[in-house]
């Protein structure tokens, strides 16, 4: 008989909705729980699904203590890592929020051998100052 392997899940928590003033900086909070030790293989990816778009675009990846922001617009040079994986925090900052940044932000955390069941999603609305 094979031993049963239980695959545990990472649980990701984000606020469901956020309102951010046009032209200001926003912190997108994302925290997670994992029963495994946070290893150097842990990674975070953020993606953005604009209003009305069919698929999300990945725009930020964090692994091994390094940030890999996407090179393309819409977030070029506006993203900074604001988390600390040891504290189970995968938050990011986005500078100078614009109306075109309206949409859903998806925070996905992997901490092998934990695998994510459901990423966190934040519906973000940019509003007039």
């Amino acid at each position: 008989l094979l031993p049963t392997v239980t695959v545990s899940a990472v649980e990701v928590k984000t606020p469901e909705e956020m309102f951010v003033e046009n032209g200001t900086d926003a912190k997108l909070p994302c925290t997670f729980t994992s029963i495994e030790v946070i290893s150097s293989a842990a990674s975070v990816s953020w993606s953005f699904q604009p209003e009305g778009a069919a698929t999300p675009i990945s725009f930020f990846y964090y692994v091994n203590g390094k940030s890999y922001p996407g090179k393309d617009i819409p977030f070029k040079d506006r993203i900074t890592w604001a988390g600390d994986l040891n504290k189970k925090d995968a938050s990011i900052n986005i500078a100078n929020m614009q109306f075109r940044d309206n949409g859903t932000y998806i925070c996905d955390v992997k901490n092998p051998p934990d695998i994510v069941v459901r990423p966190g999603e934040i519906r973000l609305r940019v509003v007039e100052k």
Side-chain angles (χ1 to χ4, degrees):
L1 280 172
L2 291 171
T4 41
V5 178
T6 49
V7 175
S8 49
V10 176
E11 269 189 60
V12 179
K13 293 186 178 56
T14 52
E16 274 184 29
E17 198 163 31
M18 281 179 68
F19 293 90
V20 177
E21 288 185 349
N22 176 33
T24 65
D25 297 356
K27 180 178 182 177
L28 274 51
C30 177
T31 57
F32 62 96
T33 54
S34 169
I35 58 169
E36 300 292 335
V37 171
I38 308 298
S39 73
S40 61
S43 66
V44 177
S45 60
W46 278 87
S47 42
F48 171 59
Q49 189 158 356
E51 292 287 316
T55 52
I57 314 152
S58 285
F59 67 88
F60 182 85
Y61 187 67
Y62 183 89
V63 67
N64 247 335
K66 291 193 181 67
S67 301
Y68 299 94
K71 297 284 184 283
D72 49 352
I73 46 177
F75 302 107
K76 188 172 165 50
D77 304 331
R78 292 166 53 206
I79 309 286
T80 47
W81 172 246
D84 179 341
L85 289 187
N86 294 318
K87 295 193 173 90
K88 299 187 169 59
D89 184 346
S91 307
I92 54 169
N93 285 319
I94 303 182
N96 189 20
M97 295 294 289
Q98 301 297 318
F99 293 117
R100 64 168 182 267
D101 299 331
N102 272 322
T104 301
Y105 290 78
I106 300 148
C107 173
D108 194 355
V109 179
K110 294 191 170 31
N111 183 38
D114 263 13
I115 54 171
V116 175
V117 171
R118 203 164 48 90
E121 295 195 357
I122 304 173
R123 281 192 307 282
L124 190 137
R125 304 279 170 265
V126 179
V127 295
E128 277 292 355
K129 268 193 182 170

